Amino acid sequence: MSRRVALQAITGGLTLPLAGGCVSTIGPSEVDLVWGRRGFTDGRFLKPRAITIDPLDQLYIVDTTGRIQVFDVDGNHLRTWKTLDTANGRPTGLAFDNTDPESPRLLVADTHYYRMLVYSPTGELQTDQQIGGVSGFEPGQFAFVTDAVIDTKGNHYIGEYGASDRVQKFDRDGKFVAQWGGTGSQPGQFLRPQSLVVDGSTLWIADACNHRIARYDLDHTTPKLVSLWGTEGDGPGQLHYPYDLAIDSDGSVIVCEYGNQRLQRFTPDGKVLSYWGSPGHAPGQLYQPWGVVVDSRQRVHVLDSNNHRVQRLAAF
């Protein structure tokens, strides 16, 4: 398949509208904005590792300096703060909690400190809402935390990898409820459950090192596996280290592949609809991407991690 992208030069890594691009099974896809560059000051990144979006279409991005930066959807910097500790490692998961619009929260998977941190949208640490902080195998203890999300009832789901590949469930007060998983490739097991996404009564999991996507029904004390799809490979519909996913307004599943350095769009049952991207550094190309979100206008924002930038797609 031809992989063509209409390119314009990017001077100094500044934000720049682009003139289109195409890598899709069903038609053209436009890259309408590329922004960000390598660096340590506000508006720049050093290998950004997670992205989430709030109801105001503000993007929250954490990189390997441990900074959380907030931007509008056009890449304009709004604010920055630093996570609590960074000597052991940096966070790799972010999720926005708007279950209580009066007290919105940013959930942070503080990977190498075995915990979920909570911040206000402006960066105030909510110490009383932390879950975890102790390494171990018991309920409420963690290996390396990958992601933390919340459902409409206020239950938290926290993924982890390393010594234990599992997901733990906690109630709105942080009390342990259930756990499931374990290291392996059988249905219900995981090899690095890297990204968790709640969509209504469904929990989606990017089971990264099993190269597949899992879907769970949340209407059970211990969520029930509904479907499992994906095989390892680089062909259309195959996956290679899916690190993140997002659910679009039409119910389709957008998967960000760290290994294949592309995005793919699937039906909820795993039928591929389209794909976009190829390895490289030009607009429309990706270098080990880690994250993807969809804004209120159905534009897709991909965290092009090792290119230290974000690309925005009008469609694909």
Side-chain angles (χ1 to χ4, degrees):
M1 174 179 178
S2 173
R3 294 183 178 270
R4 296 178 293 108
V5 179
L7 306 180
Q8 291 183 357
I10 297 185
T11 304
L14 300 177
T15 300
L16 180 71
L18 301 177
C22 175
V23 179
S24 173
T25 59
I26 58 173
S29 168
E30 292 186 358
V31 182
D32 67 355
L33 194 66
V34 177
W35 56 272
R37 59 184 294 187
R38 189 180 190 279
F40 299 89
T41 56
D42 287 347
R44 300 189 183 191
F45 304 110
L46 187 66
K47 296 181 180 179
R49 294 296 175 86
I51 182 172
T52 193
I53 191 167
D54 70 15
L56 300 176
D57 273 354
Q58 296 182 123
L59 301 170
Y60 298 74
I61 299 172
V62 65
D63 68 5
T64 55
T65 68
R67 293 174 303 159
I68 294 174
Q69 297 188 73
V70 186
F71 302 86
D72 67 20
V73 288
D74 296 319
N76 297 305
H77 178 265
L78 302 176
R79 54 191 178 275
T80 298
W81 71 88
K82 191 80 175 288
T83 52
L84 190 60
D85 298 296
T86 59
N88 293 347
R90 288 78 175 181
T92 61
L94 297 176
F96 197 83
D97 168 25
N98 200 49
T99 54
D100 179 3
E102 298 298 319
S103 302
R105 309 184 306 158
L106 180 69
L107 310 182
V108 178
D110 199 11
T111 308
H112 299 275
Y113 290 90
Y114 324 112
R115 63 192 178 188
M116 179 196 80
L117 297 176
V118 178
Y119 289 91
S120 74
T122 52
E124 290 80 23
L125 181 65
Q126 312 298 305
T127 55
D128 60 321
Q129 299 176 41
Q130 174 180 313
I131 296 177
V134 175
S135 175
F137 303 96
E138 299 300 318
Q141 299 177 340
F142 295 98
F144 296 118
V145 176
T146 56
D147 208 357
V149 296
I150 193 167
D151 68 16
T152 57
K153 299 177 182 178
N155 296 305
H156 300 81
Y157 302 86
I158 302 177
E160 59 187 291
Y161 81 100
S164 54
D165 292 89
R166 63 179 175 176
V167 178
Q168 296 189 62
K169 176 182 177 181
F170 301 84
D171 67 16
R172 64 173 63 250
D173 297 318
K175 181 181 178 181
F176 174 82
V177 175
Q179 64 180 345
W180 76 98
T183 302
S185 58
Q186 296 300 310
Q189 296 180 318
F190 303 109
L191 286 176
R192 188 165 179 161
Q194 178 60 40
S195 178
L196 285 63
V197 173
V198 171
D199 181 46
S201 61
T202 299
L203 175 65
W204 294 90
I205 300 177
D207 189 6
C209 297
N210 276 322
H211 315 287
R212 66 191 185 189
I213 304 298
R215 178 169 52 162
Y216 283 84
D217 181 358
L218 296 180
D219 289 330
H220 302 269
T221 300
T222 300
K224 180 181 179 182
L225 181 64
V226 174
S227 66
L228 194 64
W229 46 263
T231 59
E232 184 178 5
D234 60 5
Q238 296 181 310
L239 298 170
H240 193 51
Y241 297 110
Y243 266 23
D244 199 11
L245 59 87
I247 310 301
D248 208 344
S249 59
D250 62 0
S252 62
V253 183
I254 300 171
V255 178
C256 175
E257 294 178 77
Y258 177 90
N260 281 327
Q261 301 177 105
R262 66 183 178 185
L263 301 179
Q264 292 196 80
R265 185 185 294 271
F266 295 88
T267 66
D269 294 323
K271 179 182 177 182
V272 64
L273 299 172
S274 60
Y275 54 94
W276 173 92
S278 61
H281 309 288
Q285 296 181 319
L286 301 169
Y287 185 17
Q288 297 176 340
W290 274 66
V292 62
V293 296
V294 181
D295 68 25
S296 63
R297 294 172 57 185
Q298 285 71 58
R299 296 175 300 185
V300 177
H301 304 253
V302 57
L303 195 61
D304 190 5
S305 300
N306 276 27
N307 279 324
H308 317 287
R309 66 187 183 185
V310 177
Q311 299 196 54
R312 188 178 75 194
L313 318 179
F316 83 95

